[in-house]
């Protein structure tokens, strides 16, 4: 059974930083791709960043240069460092991974950026 547990969200002023963490359990391979998504009110869920087993990363254009995704396989944790936060980054952020047959999601962590 795969479990993902996010933490690190909160309220921050524009220009500030937060680091989200996603602790994983039950994932069989450290080569599995991990991702962060976000869901803002009135918007569709969007992919923010992903990292594959070779540590290749991918970012949405809106966060390039500000956010950094990383993984610590020994700690079974994936991070999302968010710098220069903007009010439009306000959303619930979800950790995600998938296999050929199923996608797995955490419960989400709220990030609120005030102007």
């Amino acid at each position: 059974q795969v479990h993902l547990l996010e933490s690190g969200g909160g309220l921050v002023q524009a220009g500030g930083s937060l680091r989200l963490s996603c602790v994983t359990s039950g994932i069989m391979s450290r080569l599995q791709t991990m991702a962060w998504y976000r869901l803002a009110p009135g918007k569709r869920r969007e992919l923010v960043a992903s990292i594959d087993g070779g540590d290749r990363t991918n970012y949405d254009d809106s966060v390039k240069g500000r956010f950094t995704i990383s993984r610590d396989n020994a700690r079974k944790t994936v991070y999302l460092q968010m710098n220069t936060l903007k009010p439009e980054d306000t959303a619930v952020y979800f950790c995600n991974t998938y296999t050929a047959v199923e996608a797995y999601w955490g419960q989400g962590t709220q990030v609120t950026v005030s102007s």
Side-chain angles (χ1 to χ4, degrees):
Q1 189 77 13
V2 175
H3 291 286
L4 308 174
L5 182 62
E6 304 97 332
S7 63
L11 173 64
V12 64
Q13 289 187 332
S17 298
L18 286 173
R19 188 176 79 157
L20 305 184
S21 299
C22 172
V23 178
T24 71
S25 62
I27 293 177
M28 300 300 294
S29 172
R30 66 184 182 89
L31 300 180
Q32 200 151 333
T33 294
M34 301 295 301
W36 286 95
Y37 284 75
R38 65 186 179 188
L39 179 62
K43 295 185 178 180
R44 293 181 177 180
R45 183 173 58 195
E46 62 177 358
L47 174 63
V48 176
S50 64
I51 183 168
D52 69 12
D55 287 342
R56 288 177 290 266
T57 58
N58 180 59
Y59 297 93
D60 184 80
D61 286 345
S62 65
V63 306
K64 281 181 181 177
R66 301 189 297 123
F67 290 12
T68 302
I69 189 171
S70 62
R71 66 196 299 165
D72 183 334
N73 290 322
R75 297 180 187 273
K76 299 183 180 180
T77 302
V78 179
Y79 302 99
L80 185 67
Q81 178 66 44
M82 306 186 295
N83 298 328
T84 319
L85 282 160
K86 303 175 181 180
E88 50 264 44
D89 295 318
T90 294
V92 179
Y93 285 71
F94 297 90
C95 185
N96 163 269
T97 190
Y98 57 88
T99 65
V101 297
E102 191 167 356
Y104 300 94
W105 300 90
Q107 85 291 344
T109 185
Q110 176 71 46
V111 172
T112 303
V113 185
S114 62
S115 57

